Amino acid sequence: NTLSSPLGYVFARNDLAKAYYHMARNFYHAHDYATAADYYILCDRLNPTDPMYKGRVNSCMGFLCKQDSCFEEALEFYQRSSCAFKESGSEWYYAHNLVNVAEQYVNLREYAKADSVLSIAETYNIDSAYYANVMDVKAMALFNQQKYNLALACLLETKDYQQNVEVQSYRAMKMMQL
């Protein structure tokens, strides 16, 4: 009822959008990805004025699309989230999202666009884990272009950085392949 009045819509839509976002997160953690996506969409349709929620919703949708290998859709969501994170002023979220955008360009084999985004991402000095992620995406792009020596150099540059076991295993496997 509150949303049906113009004044109520302005004040209540952000709260409802936040509730939809948190419901989506709960369903995501329960591995019910379809329901999570439905709630993310409901949140996005309310067009919350808080750019962090816009960014987080679109980033989560991008991740879901990436998991289903829908790279064009993932790219669109990640680009939308980048705009929202930039508007929010959160350098950390914006920088990390740039890596997601670049990764989707690599998945779509648009290497020049990926390089362009990665050159922006490299200007941020968040932490060593972030830098390792940037270098991993760069290595993936070089590997796909059969520039194996350069890809190996990117991976070797970050091999001693502390990251979770899954990332370290992936990096070691790629180094062995190269």
Side-chain angles (χ1 to χ4, degrees):
N1 288 338
T2 304
L3 289 175
S4 63
S5 79
L7 186 61
Y9 182 81
V10 170
F11 291 108
R13 72 181 170 150
N14 284 320
D15 291 335
L16 186 57
K18 289 176 184 179
Y20 283 152
Y21 170 78
H22 291 291
M23 286 293 294
R25 295 300 296 163
N26 288 337
F27 281 107
Y28 175 82
H29 290 298
H31 304 289
D32 186 351
Y33 304 121
T35 306
D38 290 340
Y39 277 102
Y40 287 135
I41 291 168
L42 286 171
C43 176
D44 192 52
R45 284 187 181 156
L46 285 171
N47 195 21
T49 57
D50 183 346
M52 280 303 291
Y53 275 95
K54 284 182 187 179
R56 291 169 81 184
V57 163
N58 282 288
S59 181
C60 290
M61 283 298 292
F63 180 78
L64 289 174
C65 291
K66 180 177 80 170
Q67 295 300 100
D68 285 341
S69 299
C70 301
F71 302 124
E72 288 179 16
E73 291 83 359
L75 176 62
E76 182 179 331
F77 283 115
Y78 282 133
Q79 287 173 326
R80 288 177 64 189
S81 64
S82 283
C83 291
F85 288 140
K86 189 172 188 176
E87 180 185 331
S88 76
S90 174
E91 188 177 276
W92 190 92
Y93 277 100
Y94 177 65
H96 279 276
N97 205 70
L98 287 173
V99 178
N100 293 329
V101 170
E103 182 182 1
Q104 297 324 299
Y105 279 130
V106 170
N107 289 334
L108 294 169
R109 301 194 184 291
E110 296 184 34
Y111 303 115
K113 290 180 181 178
D115 287 341
S116 175
V117 174
L118 285 171
S119 68
I120 297 167
E122 285 181 292
T123 64
Y124 290 92
N125 187 18
I126 305 298
D127 56 30
S128 62
Y130 170 77
Y131 183 70
N133 289 338
V134 170
M135 295 310 284
D136 285 346
V137 173
K138 196 173 203 173
M140 186 170 65
L142 293 166
F143 181 85
N144 290 348
Q145 296 173 78
Q146 299 179 350
K147 297 177 181 177
Y148 301 124
N149 289 338
L150 294 172
L152 182 58
C154 287
L155 293 175
L156 287 173
E157 189 173 329
T158 61
K159 76 177 178 75
D160 294 327
Y161 286 21
Q162 292 297 319
Q163 292 202 301
N164 66 39
V165 174
E166 182 180 298
V167 172
Q168 288 176 337
S169 298
Y170 173 78
R171 193 173 291 131
M173 179 189 69
K174 280 296 178 192
M175 283 190 274
M176 292 292 289
Q177 287 177 336
L178 289 166

